[in-house]
Amino acid sequence: MSGGIVPTVVDCTVRDRAARWLARVGARLPTFAELADPSSIPETRQTGLQSVDPDRPDPANLFRVHWYNDGTRTGLAATPCHLVFPSSLTGVPSPIVMALGCFFPMIGAHKVLAAYGCLMPRLVTGRFDPGRHKAVWPSTGNYCRGGIAISRILDCRGIAVLPEGMSEERFDWLRAWVPRSEDIVATPGSESNVKEIYDRCAELARDPTNVVLNQFAEFGNYVAHYACTGPALARVFEALHATRPGVRLSAFVAASGSAGTLAAGDYLKDEHGSRIVAVEASECPTLLRNGFGEHNIQGIGDKHVPYIHNVMNTDIVVGVSDRSTGALDLLFNSEPGPSYLADRRHIAPELLVGLKLIGLSGIANLIAAIKVAKRLELGEDDAIVTVATDSAALYGSERRRYLTAYYPHGFDAVSAAEIFGQHLLGAADNDVLELTHNERSRIFNLGYYTWVEQQGVPVEAFERRRAQGFWSELRQTASAWDMLIAEFNAAAGLEEGC
């Protein structure tokens, strides 16, 4: 079930066939090193990108699957696009810095990096034949869109598997990108129904031509975020540090989701000693209390512990209510909300525009960062770094539902003030758990029921993930895969600089 660590070619025939396939469509694979530092991408390729639409399935857009796209998504930024939230908005003295995933190509979300990180190792090791295999992308929305985008670029068939209750905008995007309607598989339930996704994937896996790329279990997801997202977030922090020399990186906050993004926390802890904070919905407190439930913070997953989550290196778990994320999404994206924030809270115009670039899971991360700052009593020299996977553009339908449910008689400045007071200034440090060794072990052990009992992972393989040495070795895979990418591109006749 899990995407094991395979740093060598296992089938040269399949690898070479895949290389010829990609040569036909003109798709050279970028290395992790290039995606971590896009300035290292050959200049001729960077120049050629300027004429490529970032929202088209063009092979050149593989070289935009990184954090350094500028605001137009056609050029490179020296520092990844980000927001710095002032205390006038958050109510805490600590600067909260959020990297924006909406500038990634094709899907407007950083999950396209995870999708590339999951498929690429299979291509270069001879475990995926794009002319024969279909890529199955199980997700609660953004990852499967990223997978479909990568599949279209490689001219191979992709199958999106996601809950039927996800936002209309996700399905609209999929219908526009998937050539065959049957390749959109809607499973029962909504954000909280991950097992139903797994069950459907198990059925699809009975066909040997279907290759399930489960983001919750593919180690390529972890490696991509450690190697690429981690350094990008470190660059964002360095930009803050340049303007505030005394500031230190105290915490990294990210919703649990597939746990891929949490790998960036491992990088930041290695480099800066920062704490790692995992976020989940209070309505479904799996990590907090072995709990369960339903919620609508789309994109964060729940009711299980991802196989690629380095639980024993996580420091804090925070629960955030979907009532808060829905309310703040309305505040940030309605006419009365920004007007109130500008007039009464004196929020700068550029930040008001930036608030529209934060989706529901990003808002959850912001609230969690505020909670952590309050619980740990962090000061003005304690920076917190977090991410917004996607933007508010994907949640217009959800916003309309929230407005109808909670403000049927209209949303005005008084309503905006109430939301600001309750969900930002009034954010309490409830559902914040600082993890002891025993608490980490409890969460780690909880994963047994998904991965060993349900998905058939050998218990020895499951247990190996408890030791930090396992994860240290895993991180070295990035350089091994980069060498295989170079060999793959050479086999395709698409060598460096071509």
PDB file of all heavy atoms in Angstrom, residues 482-493:
ATOM      1  N   ASP A 482      17.234  12.722  -7.935  1.00  0.00           N
ATOM      2  CA  ASP A 482      17.699  13.734  -8.883  1.00  0.00           C
ATOM      3  C   ASP A 482      18.670  13.127  -9.897  1.00  0.00           C
ATOM      4  O   ASP A 482      18.642  13.474 -11.090  1.00  0.00           O
ATOM      5  CB  ASP A 482      18.361  14.893  -8.145  1.00  0.00           C
ATOM      6  CG  ASP A 482      17.354  15.925  -7.659  1.00  0.00           C
ATOM      7  OD1 ASP A 482      16.147  15.744  -7.921  1.00  0.00           O
ATOM      8  OD2 ASP A 482      17.774  16.912  -7.012  1.00  0.00           O
ATOM      9  N   MET A 483      19.532  12.226  -9.441  1.00  0.00           N
ATOM     10  CA  MET A 483      20.439  11.558 -10.373  1.00  0.00           C
ATOM     11  C   MET A 483      19.667  10.687 -11.350  1.00  0.00           C
ATOM     12  O   MET A 483      19.985  10.632 -12.540  1.00  0.00           O
ATOM     13  CB  MET A 483      21.472  10.735  -9.593  1.00  0.00           C
ATOM     14  CG  MET A 483      22.513  11.577  -8.884  1.00  0.00           C
ATOM     15  SD  MET A 483      23.882  10.616  -8.192  1.00  0.00           S
ATOM     16  CE  MET A 483      23.070   9.818  -6.808  1.00  0.00           C
ATOM     17  N   LEU A 484      18.629  10.024 -10.854  1.00  0.00           N
ATOM     18  CA  LEU A 484      17.800   9.197 -11.737  1.00  0.00           C
ATOM     19  C   LEU A 484      17.029  10.055 -12.734  1.00  0.00           C
ATOM     20  O   LEU A 484      16.796   9.639 -13.876  1.00  0.00           O
ATOM     21  CB  LEU A 484      16.841   8.341 -10.918  1.00  0.00           C
ATOM     22  CG  LEU A 484      17.469   7.249 -10.054  1.00  0.00           C
ATOM     23  CD1 LEU A 484      16.402   6.500  -9.274  1.00  0.00           C
ATOM     24  CD2 LEU A 484      18.278   6.280 -10.909  1.00  0.00           C
ATOM     25  N   ILE A 485      16.621  11.252 -12.318  1.00  0.00           N
ATOM     26  CA  ILE A 485      15.944  12.174 -13.240  1.00  0.00           C
ATOM     27  C   ILE A 485      16.890  12.555 -14.371  1.00  0.00           C
ATOM     28  O   ILE A 485      16.495  12.587 -15.552  1.00  0.00           O
ATOM     29  CB  ILE A 485      15.450  13.428 -12.498  1.00  0.00           C
ATOM     30  CG1 ILE A 485      14.291  13.069 -11.564  1.00  0.00           C
ATOM     31  CG2 ILE A 485      14.999  14.502 -13.485  1.00  0.00           C
ATOM     32  CD1 ILE A 485      13.876  14.207 -10.639  1.00  0.00           C
ATOM     33  N   ALA A 486      18.139  12.843 -14.028  1.00  0.00           N
ATOM     34  CA  ALA A 486      19.126  13.205 -15.052  1.00  0.00           C
ATOM     35  C   ALA A 486      19.311  12.053 -16.036  1.00  0.00           C
ATOM     36  O   ALA A 486      19.372  12.268 -17.263  1.00  0.00           O
ATOM     37  CB  ALA A 486      20.451  13.580 -14.399  1.00  0.00           C
ATOM     38  N   GLU A 487      19.382  10.831 -15.521  1.00  0.00           N
ATOM     39  CA  GLU A 487      19.514   9.658 -16.394  1.00  0.00           C
ATOM     40  C   GLU A 487      18.266   9.483 -17.257  1.00  0.00           C
ATOM     41  O   GLU A 487      18.356   9.148 -18.450  1.00  0.00           O
ATOM     42  CB  GLU A 487      19.745   8.403 -15.550  1.00  0.00           C
ATOM     43  CG  GLU A 487      21.061   8.382 -14.804  1.00  0.00           C
ATOM     44  CD  GLU A 487      21.179   7.175 -13.885  1.00  0.00           C
ATOM     45  OE1 GLU A 487      20.280   6.301 -13.925  1.00  0.00           O
ATOM     46  OE2 GLU A 487      22.160   7.109 -13.118  1.00  0.00           O
ATOM     47  N   PHE A 488      17.111   9.720 -16.671  1.00  0.00           N
ATOM     48  CA  PHE A 488      15.847   9.584 -17.392  1.00  0.00           C
ATOM     49  C   PHE A 488      15.775  10.600 -18.533  1.00  0.00           C
ATOM     50  O   PHE A 488      15.429  10.269 -19.667  1.00  0.00           O
ATOM     51  CB  PHE A 488      14.686   9.794 -16.414  1.00  0.00           C
ATOM     52  CG  PHE A 488      13.324   9.559 -16.999  1.00  0.00           C
ATOM     53  CD1 PHE A 488      12.699   8.321 -16.880  1.00  0.00           C
ATOM     54  CD2 PHE A 488      12.648  10.580 -17.658  1.00  0.00           C
ATOM     55  CE1 PHE A 488      11.437   8.112 -17.405  1.00  0.00           C
ATOM     56  CE2 PHE A 488      11.388  10.376 -18.183  1.00  0.00           C
ATOM     57  CZ  PHE A 488      10.773   9.132 -18.063  1.00  0.00           C
ATOM     58  N   ASN A 489      16.113  11.845 -18.245  1.00  0.00           N
ATOM     59  CA  ASN A 489      16.080  12.881 -19.277  1.00  0.00           C
ATOM     60  C   ASN A 489      17.083  12.583 -20.391  1.00  0.00           C
ATOM     61  O   ASN A 489      16.811  12.837 -21.561  1.00  0.00           O
ATOM     62  CB  ASN A 489      16.374  14.252 -18.655  1.00  0.00           C
ATOM     63  CG  ASN A 489      15.227  14.773 -17.817  1.00  0.00           C
ATOM     64  OD1 ASN A 489      14.064  14.453 -18.063  1.00  0.00           O
ATOM     65  ND2 ASN A 489      15.550  15.581 -16.814  1.00  0.00           N
ATOM     66  N   ALA A 490      18.230  12.021 -20.007  1.00  0.00           N
ATOM     67  CA  ALA A 490      19.225  11.645 -21.027  1.00  0.00           C
ATOM     68  C   ALA A 490      18.676  10.522 -21.909  1.00  0.00           C
ATOM     69  O   ALA A 490      18.840  10.556 -23.130  1.00  0.00           O
ATOM     70  CB  ALA A 490      20.521  11.217 -20.347  1.00  0.00           C
ATOM     71  N   ALA A 491      18.004   9.554 -21.280  1.00  0.00           N
ATOM     72  CA  ALA A 491      17.409   8.451 -22.057  1.00  0.00           C
ATOM     73  C   ALA A 491      16.333   8.954 -22.998  1.00  0.00           C
ATOM     74  O   ALA A 491      16.104   8.393 -24.066  1.00  0.00           O
ATOM     75  CB  ALA A 491      16.838   7.395 -21.111  1.00  0.00           C
ATOM     76  N   ALA A 492      15.676  10.050 -22.589  1.00  0.00           N
ATOM     77  CA  ALA A 492      14.636  10.642 -23.429  1.00  0.00           C
ATOM     78  C   ALA A 492      15.205  11.588 -24.482  1.00  0.00           C
ATOM     79  O   ALA A 492      14.462  12.099 -25.325  1.00  0.00           O
ATOM     80  CB  ALA A 492      13.629  11.390 -22.557  1.00  0.00           C
ATOM     81  N   GLY A 493      16.512  11.829 -24.425  1.00  0.00           N
ATOM     82  CA  GLY A 493      17.116  12.798 -25.335  1.00  0.00           C
ATOM     83  C   GLY A 493      16.805  14.228 -24.950  1.00  0.00           C
ATOM     84  O   GLY A 493      16.904  15.130 -25.774  1.00  0.00           O
TER      85      GLY A 493
END
